[in-house]
Amino acid sequence: MRTNTNIILFSLVLLFSCGETKESGKEKQDTASVALSEETSSPPEEEKVVEKPEYTGYRFRVDSLHIGDSLVRETKDRIIERYAGLSDWYDSLNEGVIRNVETVDQEWFGTHDIEDLFLGIENTDLLTESYRERIKGSGEAKKELTNLGALLSNDTIGYDFHSIKSSSTPPYRYYLEYQHDIDAVPVEYDMLPSLGEDTVQNCLREMVHLEGDKAQLSVPYYLFGEARPYLYVFLIFHWVRKEGEWFLDDMDIEEDRTQHRWGF
């Protein structure tokens, strides 16, 4: 009787042990399967964020092809003349829509109805038709509060452009310093002596680059606005010649951070 009981107990222990071994094997197999699955399955794709680079590689270069070439000089002078007319038009149409830089919160004073600005854009003979249409479809054109600088460039930096051309000659001393290593007189900005008209005109000529019936006029922002925070900013005016006259076909903003004399 005792022998039979021992046999039964031994059988139960053996059965239990086999079941535990099978279960342990199954658990190990499941664990290995999960690990293999985790290794071979690709991770969830992260959302890609595309950031606009601060510096795109733009570099301003002095253009001196007008020296000794009367035709090039006359062409550049005509573009500069159109640039002066563009500046007068800008000042007139954009009057009152400037940022009050003396306030801490940078509040605006004075606004224009967007339709008034569009009307002024339609009535000028300085812009190409295609450029007018692009301005109307630009992102900045849809903002309730804007100014002409933002419309022309389709860039929020344009909000700070209360003008697009210097009304005086002293700032061109900085151009001579930065581009030609001719040091400016070390006095306060408002006390810088004036330059002759020929000197200023030559500075402007160097900013014009001709390419057949197209031209680029690259004007540094420090010539007509506060140097900071746009120390490296250039306004690029893209001109095209049609039927013997030059028309503005686009305006964009670039940064030139290659000039170490500006503290870069």
Side-chain angles (χ1 to χ4, degrees):
M1 182 69 178
R2 183 177 296 176
T3 302
N4 294 337
T5 302
N6 290 339
I7 293 174
I8 294 173
L9 289 174
F10 178 76
S11 300
L12 289 174
V13 171
L14 183 61
L15 180 62
F16 179 78
S17 299
C18 291
E20 185 178 30
T21 303
K22 290 179 180 179
E23 188 65 28
S24 300
K26 185 177 185 302
E27 290 177 358
K28 292 180 180 179
Q29 184 178 6
D30 292 343
T31 303
S33 299
V34 171
L36 182 61
S37 176
E38 289 178 349
E39 289 180 2
T40 56
S41 62
S42 47
E45 185 176 354
E46 296 181 359
E47 182 180 354
K48 295 181 180 179
V49 178
V50 179
E51 297 181 356
K52 181 180 179 181
E54 293 184 358
Y55 171 56
T56 59
Y58 171 79
R59 183 176 181 180
F60 171 75
R61 291 179 173 83
V62 170
D63 188 304
S64 57
L65 293 180
H66 56 278
I67 299 178
D69 192 321
S70 59
L71 180 59
V72 171
R73 185 173 63 252
E74 291 173 4
T75 302
K76 288 189 174 185
D77 285 347
R78 180 52 184 163
I79 292 172
I80 294 169
E81 184 179 344
R82 293 287 279 179
Y83 169 52
L86 182 75
S87 176
D88 292 340
W89 168 77
Y90 185 98
D91 293 343
S92 176
L93 186 58
N94 207 47
E95 184 178 5
V97 189
I98 59 177
R99 180 168 289 187
N100 187 351
V101 296
E102 296 177 358
T103 61
V104 176
D105 54 1
Q106 300 285 288
E107 291 291 338
W108 288 83
F109 65 93
T111 61
H112 271 316
D113 183 83
I114 192 69
E115 295 302 327
D116 291 339
L117 289 177
F118 281 162
L119 184 60
I121 290 171
E122 283 291 343
N123 291 335
T124 182
D125 63 348
L126 293 163
L127 312 179
T128 63
E129 186 62 34
S130 59
Y131 187 28
R132 290 193 182 97
E133 294 303 317
R134 290 200 302 275
I135 293 173
K136 290 181 180 180
S138 70
E140 292 307 317
K142 298 179 176 63
K143 291 186 179 293
E144 180 180 354
L145 186 63
T146 188
N147 77 344
L148 194 53
L151 288 179
L152 293 177
S153 63
N154 193 30
D155 194 312
T156 55
I157 295 179
Y159 285 142
D160 293 324
F161 296 161
H162 57 83
S163 65
I164 57 173
K165 186 178 185 296
S166 175
S167 58
S168 61
T169 65
Y172 288 88
R173 287 190 176 274
Y174 290 123
Y175 174 86
L176 294 175
E177 177 184 357
Y178 299 149
Q179 303 302 330
H180 296 285
D181 292 332
I182 301 175
D183 292 338
V185 180
V187 295
E188 295 297 326
Y189 176 83
D190 294 336
M191 298 175 60
L192 285 174
S194 297
L195 294 175
E197 291 185 6
D198 289 342
T199 300
V200 171
Q201 188 73 358
N202 278 328
C203 291
L204 289 169
R205 287 167 180 160
E206 290 181 350
M207 301 175 199
V208 179
H209 178 68
L210 301 177
E211 296 180 354
D213 287 332
K214 296 182 179 180
Q216 292 183 3
L217 170 64
S218 303
V219 182
Y221 179 63
Y222 62 77
L223 286 181
F224 55 85
E226 294 294 331
R228 299 185 183 278
Y230 308 127
L231 191 60
Y232 311 98
V233 164
F234 278 74
L235 270 68
I236 318 286
F237 298 90
H238 299 271
W239 300 86
V240 296
R241 179 164 49 191
K242 296 183 177 181
E243 298 180 357
E245 188 55 278
W246 292 93
F247 299 90
L248 186 66
D249 191 52
D250 201 358
M251 183 184 104
D252 63 79
I253 299 169
E254 297 284 356
E255 284 186 298
D256 180 357
R257 292 180 174 271
T258 65
Q259 304 191 40
H260 63 279
R261 289 179 64 86
W262 295 6
F264 177 69

